């Protein structure tokens, strides 16, 4: 099905697929999403499930989020639900809160009505074509044209359980193709994050980006610099913590998007097979395995890994150029590298603090004499720092791998074995034997 571009604002025409001809069922939907749909419908409003939840069910996947769209305005939605809160400045949304589950409800978006100067009264674009404000309401046909990809423009109607396919989404699913609705360059300029979304969907859904949608990405990748750093943090979590992080990373690198997100690391990845490349790919492989087996992961670990070699490089530069010792150079480099990365991706303090601790422990883990080994074991971030050290050792080998192996054994050893390991370590390193403590008599109090 050929879609019309945004340069020609005529509404798309839906292909209506009756209930008997598709696999989307109310059994696959959240009970809370159904409550929202039925209350809107019974109150006289149109109500549809739209986007990823419809797409995922058609692909045989279990949907995680349920997005609702309607012709009710945000204020009308709020009037129907006591558990509703309105959010957003760029486009007003309603969040219906059911404990930990939030059902997002959006009013149909419409086309812009420009004034004599060519600027919309209720929407605003930047000089690069980026959409800055977009509180424009419209019809379902207009809403479909405003959506990004054809696979996300399918609407499940709670009134008769049919699907309205406005842009050939069903065919795109069959073709395993990610296609933008409208002119790709215009849509990417409106919101450069759509380039990240194209990559994420391609990796997540095991699909490919269509030729016309892929062509502008490399040229427009620098537009990512216009995206607020706080917004990019949320996008990074979706990209790298979805269980397909390695595949996503490779697509980001292919389309020159990775360097816009991690400008300090990207130059170190130009040589295939380098330790930096091996490290990044191994971290993402391990993260994917943990996610896909139901284990917990933290964004701090990935960010720590992505900035580690830039940190080492900056540390060496400060030592050579500034004549600093390693301790001072390392701490200065840590602050420099973190500051530069936060300019691109705003890392919340709870994660940036953990990143710093993982890095600082890399310098403390080689120092194992006496009580230090026991103190390190009790550190809250020991396990993350040990995993980090182990990955470094597996990639770089040598003394680093021996150190990681020592900590692997030490963790599992009993108390007697640990004491033996520490004594052997002292002898190997030529450290002086510990002097026994002398019991000093307390002085008698003067009468």
């Amino acid at each position: 099905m050929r879609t019309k571009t945004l340069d020609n604002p005529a509404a798309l025409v839906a292909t209506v697929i009756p209930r008997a001809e598709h696999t989307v069922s109310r059994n696959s939907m959240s009970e809370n999403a159904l409550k929202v749909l039925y209350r809107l419908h019974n109150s006289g409003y149109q109500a549809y499930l739209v986007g990823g939840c419809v797409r995922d069910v058609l692909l045989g996947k279990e949907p995680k989020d349920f997005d609702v769209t309607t012709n009710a305005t945000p204020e009308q939605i709020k009037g129907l639900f006591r558990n509703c809160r309105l959010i957003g400045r760029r486009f007003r949304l309603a969040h219906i809160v059911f404990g930990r589950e939030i059902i997002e409800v959006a009013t149909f978006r419409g086309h812009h009505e420009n004034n004599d100067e060519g600027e919309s009264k209720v929407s605003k674009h930047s000089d690069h074509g980026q959409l800055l404000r977009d509180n424009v309401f419209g019809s379902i046909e207009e809403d479909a044209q405003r959506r990004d990809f054809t696979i996300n423009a399918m609407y499940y109607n709670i009134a008769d359980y049919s699907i309205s396919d406005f842009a050939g989404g069903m065919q795109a699913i069959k073709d395993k193709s990610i296609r933008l609705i409208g002119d790709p360059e215009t849509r990417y300029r409106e919101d450069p994050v759509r380039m990240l979304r194209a990559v994420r969907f391609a990796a997540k859904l095991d699909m490919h980006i269509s030729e016309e949608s892929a062509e502008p990405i490399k040229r427009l990748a620098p537009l990512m610099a216009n995206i607020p750093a706080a917004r990019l943090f949320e996008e990074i979590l979706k990209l790298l913590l979805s269980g397909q992080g390695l595949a996503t990373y490779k697509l980001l690198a292919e389309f020159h998007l990775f360097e816009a997100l991690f400008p300090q690391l990207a130059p170190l990845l130009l040589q295939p097979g380098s330790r930096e490349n091996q490290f990044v790919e191994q971290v993402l492989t391990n993260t994917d395995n943990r996610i896909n087996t139901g284990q917990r992961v933290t964004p701090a670990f990935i960010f720590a890994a992505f900035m580690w070699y830039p940190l080492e490089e900056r540390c060496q530069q400060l030592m050579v150029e500034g004549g600093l010792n390693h301790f001072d150079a390392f701490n200065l480099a840590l602050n420099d590298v973190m500051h530069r990365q936060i300019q691109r991706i705003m890392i919340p303090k709870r994660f940036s603090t953990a990143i710093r601790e993982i890095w600082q422990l890399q310098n403390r883990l080689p120092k194992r004499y006496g009580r230090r080994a026991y103190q390190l074991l009790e550190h809250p971030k020991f396990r993350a720092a040990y995993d980090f050290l182990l990955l470094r050792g597996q990639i770089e080998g040598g003394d680093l791998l021996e150190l990681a192996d020592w900590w692997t054994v030490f963790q599992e050893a009993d108390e007697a074995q640990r004491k033996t390991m520490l004594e052997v370590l002292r002898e190997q390193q030529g450290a002086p034997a510990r002097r026994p403590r002398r019991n000093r008599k307390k002085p008698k109090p003067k009468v």
Side-chain angles (χ1 to χ4, degrees):
M1 180 176 180
R2 188 180 180 85
T3 62
K4 300 172 184 177
T5 71
L6 287 180
D7 296 329
N8 178 7
L12 300 174
V13 178
T15 299
V16 179
I17 305 166
R19 173 65 189 91
E21 298 179 17
H22 66 75
T23 58
V24 179
S25 165
R26 284 171 292 172
N27 293 331
S28 59
M29 299 175 196
S30 156
E31 289 185 8
N32 294 322
L34 289 173
K35 289 178 185 177
V36 172
L37 288 166
Y38 278 121
R39 184 173 296 184
L40 286 166
H41 174 66
N42 293 335
S43 300
Y45 299 107
Q46 298 175 43
Y48 298 83
L49 277 181
V50 66
C53 54
V54 178
R55 175 201 70 218
D56 288 348
V57 174
L58 291 171
L59 285 167
K61 300 178 179 290
E62 182 179 351
K64 294 182 179 179
D65 301 309
F66 294 88
D67 294 335
V68 174
T69 187
T70 177
N71 60 343
T73 65
E75 290 71 21
Q76 289 170 330
I77 298 167
K78 187 171 179 62
L80 291 176
F81 299 91
R82 288 183 298 176
N83 53 334
C84 172
R85 63 178 183 225
L86 301 183
I87 67 164
R89 294 178 59 187
R90 179 180 157 192
F91 188 81
R92 295 282 278 170
L93 298 170
H95 277 182
I96 316 298
V97 183
F98 297 91
R100 293 186 177 181
E101 184 177 19
I102 296 176
I103 306 299
E104 186 173 279
V105 184
T107 305
F108 295 144
R109 290 177 295 177
H111 296 307
H112 310 145
E113 295 180 2
N114 294 339
N115 57 26
D116 294 338
E117 286 74 32
E119 181 61 66
S120 170
K121 298 177 182 178
V122 284
S123 67
K124 185 178 180 181
H125 290 73
S126 72
D127 294 338
H128 303 286
Q130 184 178 342
L131 203 55
L132 303 177
R133 190 173 63 246
D134 188 23
N135 288 307
V136 187
F137 302 138
S139 65
I140 187 173
E141 291 81 10
E142 292 172 317
D143 187 82
Q145 191 171 356
R146 296 294 310 283
R147 294 196 172 267
D148 46 13
F149 302 102
T150 60
I151 56 174
N152 290 339
M154 293 181 285
Y155 295 70
Y156 176 85
N157 190 348
I158 198 62
D160 60 6
Y161 316 125
S162 64
I163 291 178
S164 295
D165 180 2
F166 283 91
M170 294 290 280
Q171 187 60 49
I173 285 177
K174 292 178 182 177
D175 296 341
K176 304 191 73 172
S177 178
I178 305 295
R179 300 191 190 107
L180 274 163
I181 297 173
D183 175 62
E185 181 159 343
T186 302
R187 302 311 304 277
Y188 290 144
R189 287 187 178 278
E190 279 187 343
D191 186 359
V193 168
R194 287 182 177 132
M195 294 184 282
L196 299 182
R197 285 169 59 82
V199 164
R200 176 161 62 90
F201 288 142
K204 175 184 176 181
L205 305 175
D206 191 23
M207 301 172 80
H208 66 275
I209 304 174
S210 68
E211 184 177 349
E212 66 276 10
S213 296
E215 187 278 327
I217 294 180
K218 291 181 182 179
R219 289 189 288 105
L220 300 180
L223 293 178
M224 294 303 304
N226 301 325
I227 301 300
R231 185 182 177 197
L232 282 180
F233 177 76
E234 297 300 327
E235 293 299 327
I236 286 296
L237 298 189
K238 296 175 186 177
L239 286 163
L240 301 180
L241 298 181
S242 61
Q244 298 84 27
L246 180 60
T248 303
Y249 157 70
K250 290 182 177 180
L251 285 176
L252 289 172
E254 177 185 342
F255 287 106
H256 298 177
L257 291 167
F258 189 82
E259 58 198 68
L261 301 171
F262 295 95
Q264 299 175 95
L265 174 60
L268 305 181
L269 302 177
L270 297 178
Q271 184 178 352
S274 65
R275 65 172 188 173
E276 292 84 358
N277 269 300
Q278 293 179 55
F279 189 58
V280 166
E281 292 188 9
Q282 191 59 56
V283 166
L284 291 172
T285 298
N286 292 358
T287 301
D288 288 346
N289 290 338
R290 290 183 65 86
I291 292 171
N292 294 325
T293 55
Q295 299 179 69
R296 293 180 61 184
V297 297
T298 172
F301 194 89
I302 286 185
F303 278 102
F306 280 17
M307 291 185 280
W308 174 252
Y309 286 115
L311 169 62
E312 277 201 336
E313 184 178 65
R314 179 60 176 152
C315 179
Q316 291 297 320
Q317 182 183 15
L318 289 171
M319 290 173 67
V320 172
E321 296 178 359
L324 300 176
N325 60 47
H326 182 269
F327 179 83
D328 291 338
F330 185 87
N331 287 312
L332 282 174
L334 185 153
N335 291 325
D336 288 350
V337 170
M338 182 70 76
H339 176 74
R340 287 190 62 191
Q341 185 58 56
I342 288 175
Q343 299 301 107
R344 291 302 308 124
I345 301 171
M346 180 57 70
I347 305 171
K349 188 174 181 180
R350 67 184 184 277
F351 296 126
S352 63
T353 300
I355 293 168
R356 290 172 181 269
E357 290 180 316
I358 290 171
W359 285 343
Q360 289 165 341
L361 282 169
Q362 301 308 298
N363 289 333
R364 292 178 60 189
L365 287 170
K367 301 170 183 177
R368 297 158 282 171
Y369 299 123
R371 297 298 304 170
R372 288 179 178 178
Y374 295 98
Q375 291 168 352
L376 287 169
L377 278 179
E378 296 171 0
H379 194 286
K381 289 293 181 288
F382 169 79
R383 185 66 199 189
Y386 160 74
D387 289 343
F388 197 87
L389 174 69
L390 187 59
L391 275 172
R392 291 174 58 211
Q394 290 170 347
I395 298 301
E396 298 184 32
D399 293 341
L400 208 57
L401 183 57
E402 288 184 13
L403 176 62
D405 289 342
W406 189 93
W407 278 108
T408 301
V409 176
F410 189 78
Q411 291 176 77
E412 303 299 329
D414 59 30
E415 186 59 29
Q417 291 172 318
R418 287 178 177 178
K419 288 182 177 179
T420 301
M421 290 178 68
L422 290 172
E423 291 298 331
V424 170
L425 180 66
R426 295 183 69 84
E427 292 174 4
Q428 290 175 343
Q429 300 295 328
R434 289 187 301 171
R435 290 182 298 177
R437 289 184 179 181
R438 291 187 299 171
N439 293 325
R440 294 183 178 180
K441 294 182 180 180
K442 292 183 180 180
K444 293 181 180 180
K446 293 182 180 180
V447 179

